[in-house]
Amino acid sequence: MDWAGFWVSLTAGGIAGMCVDLILFPLDTIKTRLQSPQGFKKAGGFREIYAGVPSVAVGSFPNAAAFFVTYEFVKSVLATVTPLYLSPVTHMAAASSGEVVACLIRVPSEVVKQRAQVSPSSSTFQVLSNTLYQEGIQGLYRGYKSTVLREIPFSLVQFPVWEALKDLWSWKQGHVVDSWQSATCGAFAGPRIFSALYVLVSWGIVCSHSCLQIKLVTSCPTFSGPGEQLITILFITALNVLEDLSISSAVFFSQD
């Protein structure tokens, strides 16, 4: 990857990531509060759904930029030493590397954001200061491993599918796909709805990830009965599908 490609990946990836995070922030706040052991209402309900947004505004650009720069760099290096039929493996390795690097920026931002979301009375700066004072820098990386383990499986599927759809569309029309076409490919490459098992395991993954990542969430939420638990699981799953299918993947991948 040359310097021109580096700056394109850095800028386009950063802007796309920031747009996604800011647009979907209210949905993310609702999901976080649904997972809080305090209960949805006590965690803030629908009040101040932009609590914690400063940490996202600061962290989303470098997070997405770091991912795409790493992704494009690893992909360009591996493409010179691997045959064409192993392109999906190249994309898997590049996406995994991108997630590992990006999470170095993403996790501290997520920790501060999620703690602010379930404590809307505290400012983002107060949450950050309390975390550093009580736990040190290690507190900002609480849940790093679980975040990486959560993100990599999706990237292993999403990016090879995205690249394959772009290649197929480019071949069909005789030229490289445009940005809106890349966004469309991303929208269909990303939805978790294609995995029926996701509905069954999403609650366990999300809940365990939150419990590990956020100091405030020291135990998984309790429910008054199986009906309430099922409704919560389905609602969070629906929010995840909505993010992937309608907005998140489309905006994120339109930077190509």
Side-chain angles (χ1 to χ4, degrees):
M1 182 173 64
D2 56 17
W3 278 106
F6 170 83
W7 287 111
V8 169
S9 298
L10 181 72
T11 305
I15 293 174
M18 185 168 60
C19 290
V20 168
D21 288 339
L22 293 178
I23 290 172
L24 298 178
F25 191 86
L27 290 180
D28 188 72
T29 299
I30 292 172
K31 286 194 298 181
T32 300
R33 291 175 179 175
L34 281 170
Q35 298 161 34
S36 172
Q38 306 172 53
F40 179 69
K41 290 184 178 180
K42 290 184 178 180
F46 291 102
R47 296 181 294 104
E48 300 182 38
I49 57 175
Y50 277 95
V53 73
S55 67
V56 171
V58 171
S60 61
F61 187 98
N63 161 45
F67 175 85
F68 270 104
V69 167
T70 305
Y71 176 77
E72 294 294 341
F73 175 76
V74 174
K75 185 174 73 170
S76 63
V77 170
L78 294 180
T80 61
V81 296
T82 55
L84 186 60
Y85 67 87
L86 289 179
S87 292
V89 177
T90 297
H91 300 145
M92 289 179 183
S96 299
S97 301
E99 293 292 357
V100 172
V101 173
C103 281
L104 293 172
I105 302 171
R106 182 184 307 155
V107 171
S109 175
E110 286 288 312
V111 169
V112 174
K113 178 198 72 176
Q114 292 184 346
R115 292 184 181 187
Q117 285 174 331
V118 296
S119 300
S121 59
S122 300
S123 68
T124 300
F125 181 74
Q126 288 174 324
V127 172
L128 174 61
S129 299
N130 290 337
T131 301
L132 291 174
Y133 178 76
Q134 296 175 7
E135 304 171 59
I137 193 69
Q138 299 92 330
L140 294 178
Y141 283 93
R142 186 175 296 275
Y144 174 81
K145 292 181 181 179
S146 65
T147 302
V148 172
L149 292 176
R150 181 195 66 179
E151 298 294 341
I152 286 181
F154 291 118
S155 294
L156 290 178
V157 175
Q158 189 174 32
F159 280 85
V161 173
W162 176 51
E163 296 283 3
L165 290 176
K166 288 196 303 177
D167 290 342
L168 178 61
W169 202 334
S170 298
W171 175 73
K172 284 285 187 180
Q173 66 184 6
H175 61 83
V176 178
V177 294
D178 298 322
S179 294
W180 71 269
Q181 294 170 325
S182 178
T184 303
C185 293
F188 284 97
R192 297 180 178 102
I193 195 173
F194 289 133
S195 175
L197 290 177
Y198 182 78
V199 177
L200 301 177
V201 305
S202 62
W203 182 247
I205 294 175
V206 172
C207 186
S208 61
H209 170 260
S210 298
C211 291
L212 288 171
Q213 186 180 28
I214 312 172
K215 179 72 172 184
L216 290 175
V217 184
T218 55
S219 61
C220 293
T222 56
F223 302 91
S224 59
E228 182 182 349
Q229 183 177 15
L230 178 61
I231 291 173
T232 305
I233 292 173
L234 293 176
F235 185 67
I236 293 177
T237 301
L239 290 178
N240 282 326
V241 171
L242 174 64
E243 287 183 53
D244 276 347
L245 184 60
S246 62
I247 304 174
S248 180
S249 295
V251 176
F252 196 62
F253 289 114
S254 65
Q255 59 85 35
D256 183 63

